[in-house]
């Protein structure tokens, strides 16, 4: 049996080695999930909600150890691991509060003995292939509504967050979800690819554009539901009337939180020329207050990068930006010592010829570009293959809305950034993906609407 080795990205040390799945075990596990699905769908929604409530209690009970496990395998600063787990509770509460109304059969017509209804039936077996950067959020955005709606789930967590994936699964089983209703696979991309070879009824993927495009090809001819939540190159525009200090502090956090490894991290900043110098100065001053350190230390803000190969991506973006005339204001190189460390890095005088302003960085690095008008800002914000989020800072609501209405993005922010709400749909334009999670749409997406035409005899 092959093994999956799990390393601590903060020091390179081996944490553990796990037996990994292979083509044969994946096939057997999907068959178990298939077999278990009708009985799970036949349970009442109240029973399924009770399981998810018990899961919530399990997360609360084990929160400290769960945060530690996530921090150790991903390098996420411990405070941010706790924040993610606490944030998950709000998402669970939302799903529990909305499930009944969202899944209730709707009567849309009743006249002259004819009734028309929409029933929300489960898809069946749902495959969830997931990312490591917010493993509780992105895993549970799929797993929890999928289970609530009567699907069984075969979940392939990222190879960089497998211990967390196993904890999610353990707590769901402990909460009463049967073993074959929620199945976790262990392994890297090959195990994900093996899962896609199986007969499943929906594929829900969170990860990079490159992998998402491969998955779309693999799934295409199977004609099953496919959702892809992919990367971004998320822009924010700071207008000349903005509170520069507030905007700088907020955007520095939005760019560097989780060491810049958020799909909705601020990845590009455009600042009106009238406040550009002032903004850049305040932004760099804020970044310099961010403490880099051991991810388990309480005061650490910048942790290790989860994946070592990303260090090379960041180095290449730095070299490219410098070669094309950008000004390096702080950082710009790997950190010292063992593990995957990169200094918080800020560039000014950037432009769209630079990779830094075009390709997802997924690290603690940002470019700040000067613009002369709202129209120029909109043009640059839309000059991207991605479209996950975009924001604007200005006290003027009408101005903000005028800008945000023209921006191609699934989510837009006024005077805030890097924010996800369970009440709102999470989706992207262009290479940021297809489909959505969260909101009541993110519950319904795990169902098939069945149309009933009922005539009384
Ligand atoms: P990734 O694409 O490298 O891997 C994602 C998952 O796909 C992993 O579980 C991996 O094992 C699996 N995989 C790899 N090759 C596969 C294949 N051929 N077939 C099937 N599965 C395969 O992405 P990542 O590094 O884990 O995550 C980072 C990316 O995810 C970033 O681009 C980030 O922006 C994006 N992301 C998006 C969202 C969102 O909601 N839009 C949320 C979080 C992360």
């Amino acid at each position: 049996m092959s093994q999956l080795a799990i390393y601590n990205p903060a020091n390179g040390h081996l944490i553990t080695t796990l037996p990994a799945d292979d083509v044969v075990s994946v096939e057997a596990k999907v068959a178990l999930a298939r077999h278990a699905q009708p009985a799970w769908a036949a349970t009442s929604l109240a029973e399924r909600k009770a399981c998810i409530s018990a899961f919530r209690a399990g997360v609360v009970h084990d929160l400290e150890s769960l945060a530690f496990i996530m921090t150790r395998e991903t390098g996420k600063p411990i405070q941010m691991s706790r924040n993610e787990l606490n944030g998950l509770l709000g998402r669970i509460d939302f799903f529990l509060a909305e499930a009944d109304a969202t899944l209730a059969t709707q009567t849309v017509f009743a006249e002259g003995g004819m009734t028309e209804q929409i029933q929300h039936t489960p898809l069946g077996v749902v495959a969830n292939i997931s990312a490591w950067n917010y493993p509780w959020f992105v895993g549970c955005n799929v797993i929890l509504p999928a289970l609530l709606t009567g699907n069984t789930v075969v979940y392939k967590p990222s190879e960089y967050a497998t211990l967390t994936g196993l904890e999610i699964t353990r707590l769901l089983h402990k909460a009463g979800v049967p073993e074959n209703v929620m199945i976790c696979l262990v392994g890297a991309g090959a195990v994900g690819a093996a899962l896609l070879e199986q007969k499943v009824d929906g594929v829900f993927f969170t990860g990079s554009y490159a992998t998402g495009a491969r998955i779309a090809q693999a799934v295409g001819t199977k004609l099953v539901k496919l959702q892809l939540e992919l990367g971004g190159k998320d822009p924010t525009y700071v207008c000349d009337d903005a509170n520069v200090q507030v905007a700088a502090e907020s955007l520095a956090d939005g760019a560097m939180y989780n060491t810049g490894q958020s799909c909705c991290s601020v990845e590009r900043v455009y600042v009106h020329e009238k406040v550009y110098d002032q903004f850049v100065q305040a932004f760099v001053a804020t970044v310099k207050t961010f403490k880099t350190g051991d991810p388990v230390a309480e005061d650490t803000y910048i942790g290790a990068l989860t994946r070592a190969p990303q260090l090379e991506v960041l180095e290449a973006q730095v070299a490219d930006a410098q070669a094309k005339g950008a000004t390096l204001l702080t950082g710009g190189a790997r950190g010292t010592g063992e593990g995957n460390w990169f200094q918080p890095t800020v560039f000014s005088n950037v432009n769209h010829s630079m990779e830094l302003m075009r390709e997802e960085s997924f690290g603690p690095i940002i470019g700040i570009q000067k613009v002369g008008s709202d129209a120029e800002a909109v043009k640059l914000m839309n000059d991207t293959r991605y479209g996950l989020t975009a924001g604007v800072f200005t006290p003027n609501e009408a101005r903000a809305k005028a800008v945000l209405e023209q921006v191609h993005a699934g989510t837009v922010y006024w005077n805030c950034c890097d924010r996800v709400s369970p009440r709102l749909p999470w989706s992207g334009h262009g290479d940021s993906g297809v489909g959505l999670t969260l909101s009541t749409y993110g519950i319904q997406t795990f169902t098939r609407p069945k149309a009933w035409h009922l005539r009384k005899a």
Side-chain angles (χ1 to χ4, degrees):
M1 183 177 259
S2 65
Q3 304 282 314
L4 179 71
I6 297 176
Y7 295 93
N8 182 337
N11 55 27
H13 297 169
L14 182 70
I15 299 173
T16 188
T17 305
L18 298 170
D21 279 286
D22 56 24
V23 174
V24 175
S25 70
V26 170
E27 185 178 358
K29 288 178 180 179
V30 173
L32 291 172
R34 170 71 60 199
H35 185 70
Q37 197 270 328
W40 178 246
T43 60
S44 67
L45 178 55
E47 285 171 79
R48 299 197 294 272
K49 281 173 63 183
C51 291
I52 303 305
S53 288
F55 169 74
R56 185 193 193 283
V59 172
V60 170
H61 185 267
D62 292 353
L63 198 135
E64 208 42 45
S65 70
L66 299 173
F68 179 75
I69 289 167
M70 175 159 51
T71 285
R72 202 167 51 143
E73 71 177 335
T74 66
K76 187 188 291 261
I78 190 75
Q79 296 274 16
M80 297 179 192
S81 289
R82 290 194 198 106
N83 290 348
E84 182 175 346
L85 286 156
N86 282 313
L88 175 75
L89 303 180
R91 296 190 185 193
I92 298 174
D93 292 341
F94 172 82
F95 289 136
L96 290 174
E98 297 296 330
D100 286 283
T102 307
L103 298 173
T105 295
Q106 291 166 263
T107 298
V108 291
F109 181 82
E111 224 173 272
M114 187 77 200
T115 301
E116 296 174 0
Q117 291 185 323
I118 303 170
Q119 183 196 13
H120 303 287
T121 64
L123 296 173
V125 179
V126 161
N128 179 20
I129 299 177
S130 204
W132 47 263
N133 61 329
Y134 283 90
W136 283 88
F137 280 158
V138 294
C140 290
N141 285 353
V142 170
I143 294 166
L144 301 183
L147 290 175
L148 277 172
T149 49
N151 300 281
T152 52
V153 177
V154 184
Y155 164 51
K156 212 295 283 169
S158 166
E159 57 273 37
Y160 296 98
T162 304
L163 297 176
T164 292
L166 290 169
E167 285 299 297
I168 293 172
T169 310
R170 176 184 70 79
L171 284 175
L172 283 165
H173 292 162
K174 195 172 166 206
V177 175
E179 296 232 331
N180 294 339
V181 167
M182 170 68 202
I183 294 177
C184 183
L185 303 177
V186 171
V191 174
L195 176 55
L196 300 176
E197 291 299 309
Q198 304 304 312
K199 190 177 164 2
V200 295
D201 303 296
V203 173
F204 294 78
F205 171 77
T206 309
S208 62
Y209 166 79
T211 311
R214 270 202 296 280
I215 286 180
Q217 280 192 323
V219 172
T221 54
K222 296 185 194 297
L223 306 184
V224 297
K225 180 156 196 173
L226 174 64
Q227 284 202 177
L228 303 169
E229 304 228 333
L230 310 177
K233 190 70 195 167
D234 297 2
T236 300
Y237 168 42
V238 180
C239 298
D240 51 338
D241 55 1
N243 181 324
V244 169
Q245 186 63 32
V246 169
E249 287 174 12
S250 171
L251 291 172
D253 182 50
M256 303 284 171
Y257 190 89
N258 200 28
T259 319
Q261 302 167 111
S262 306
C263 53
C264 53
S265 283
V266 177
E267 290 241 346
R268 300 178 279 154
V269 183
Y270 303 98
V271 183
H272 196 282
E273 59 195 7
K274 286 190 189 153
V275 291
Y276 184 78
D277 292 341
Q278 197 191 341
F279 176 87
V280 168
Q281 197 180 25
F283 190 97
V284 172
T286 305
V287 168
K288 285 187 171 164
T289 67
F290 293 157
K291 187 167 181 304
T292 301
D294 185 345
V296 297
E298 293 296 330
D299 59 349
T300 291
Y301 181 89
I302 298 284
L305 287 177
T306 308
R307 292 173 60 254
Q310 204 62 22
L311 294 167
E312 283 160 34
V313 172
L314 299 179
E315 280 179 330
Q317 290 194 350
V318 167
D320 175 70
Q322 284 184 308
K324 290 172 179 164
T327 307
L328 178 64
L329 299 170
T330 186
R334 293 182 189 223
T336 49
E338 287 177 301
N340 312 330
W341 297 93
F342 204 87
Q343 298 166 351
T345 298
V346 182
F347 279 101
S348 62
N349 295 325
V350 294
N351 62 54
H352 277 216
S353 73
M354 301 170 187
E355 292 290 299
L356 173 65
M357 299 302 278
R358 305 199 69 85
E359 291 305 323
E360 190 176 41
S361 304
F362 227 56
I365 173 170
I366 188 90
I368 308 174
Q369 183 166 351
K370 190 186 285 185
V371 294
S373 67
D374 294 6
E376 188 188 357
V378 169
K379 192 163 170 247
L380 288 167
M381 288 163 96
N382 282 337
D383 179 25
T384 177
R385 44 189 276 239
Y386 295 107
L388 196 59
T389 83
V392 60
F393 276 74
T394 169
N396 183 334
E397 184 171 354
R399 184 176 183 183
K401 287 187 172 162
V403 168
L404 295 176
E405 270 162 17
Q406 297 174 71
V407 169
H408 307 140
T411 291
V412 292
Y413 301 118
W414 177 35
N415 292 329
C416 56
C417 59
D418 191 24
R419 182 178 190 279
V420 181
S421 162
R423 296 167 293 278
L424 295 172
W426 188 249
S427 67
H429 290 207
D431 288 355
S432 291
V434 290
L436 57 82
T437 51
L438 300 174
S439 78
T440 55
Y441 295 99
I443 300 175
Q444 273 190 2
T445 195
F446 297 96
T447 66
R448 247 184 261 275
K450 187 165 182 172
W452 292 73
H453 301 244
L454 306 166
R455 188 192 295 283
K456 279 204 175 114

